[in-house]
């Protein structure tokens, strides 16, 4: 039984130590609840929630602004539409002018040949009419022409 008494005594001592530890914990807990640290923690939590709200507001505004900027970037072109239209019109006019003048340049040789033939025929008709009116000049021309045939080309 002596051992039982020893065990009981040990348990009693442990219970007393536990009671004193609990009493100290209650005392420290009360001090913590009344201390400025707890008040500071609540202030910090309140400030953190206000900061979180400000950040959310700022983030939403940033998202809106970046959306607007993206729309403006999509609308922005390197060249305006009117400049593109002006370039197309100028290019078309240039091609038409080159085609027109090219066609007339090609036709120029044909026109020259036709004009030469027409002029040659007109000169012959004019000379024939002149020679018919002045037979003595025609006789002199024939004499000159025969002389020219005898003389070799001296070029």
């Amino acid at each position: 039984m002596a051992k039982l008494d020893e065990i009981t005594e040990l348990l009693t001592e442990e219970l007393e130590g536990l009671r004193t530890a609990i009493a100290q914990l209650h005392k420290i807990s009360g001090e913590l609840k009344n201390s400025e640290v707890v008040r500071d923690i609540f202030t910090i939590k309140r400030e953190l929630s206000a900061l979180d709200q400000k950040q959310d507001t700022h983030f939403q505004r940033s998202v809106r602004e970046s959306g607007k900027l993206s729309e403006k970037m999509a609308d922005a072109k390197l060249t305006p539409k009117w400049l593109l239209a002006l370039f197309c019109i100028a290019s078309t006019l240039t091609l038409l002018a080159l085609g027109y003048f090219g066609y007339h340049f090609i036709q120029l040789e044909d026109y020259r040949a036709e004009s030469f033939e027409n002029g040659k025929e007109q000169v012959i008709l004019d000379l024939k009419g002149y020679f018919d009116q002045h037979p003595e000049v025609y006789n002199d021309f024939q004499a000159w022409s025969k002389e020219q045939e005898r003389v070799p080309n001296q070029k």
Side-chain angles (χ1 to χ4, degrees), residues 62-99:
S62 174
V63 166
R64 271 183 303 199
E65 292 297 323
S66 65
K68 288 178 184 176
L69 186 62
S70 295
E71 288 176 10
K72 286 182 182 178
M73 292 292 285
D75 290 342
K77 302 265 194 293
L78 190 57
T79 55
K81 289 181 182 178
W82 64 267
L83 185 61
L84 184 62
L86 181 67
F87 177 75
C88 289
I89 290 170
S91 298
T92 304
L93 289 176
T94 302
L95 287 175
L96 287 174
L98 287 174

Side-chain angles (χ1 to χ4, degrees), residues 81-120:
K81 289 181 182 178
W82 64 267
L83 185 61
L84 184 62
L86 181 67
F87 177 75
C88 289
I89 290 170
S91 298
T92 304
L93 289 176
T94 302
L95 287 175
L96 287 174
L98 287 174
Y100 176 78
F101 290 123
Y103 174 75
H104 283 288
F105 180 73
I106 290 170
Q107 296 299 318
L108 182 65
E109 291 299 320
D110 295 339
Y111 179 71
R112 282 183 182 173
E114 186 180 332
S115 296
F116 179 76
E117 290 299 322
N118 289 341
K120 186 176 172 184

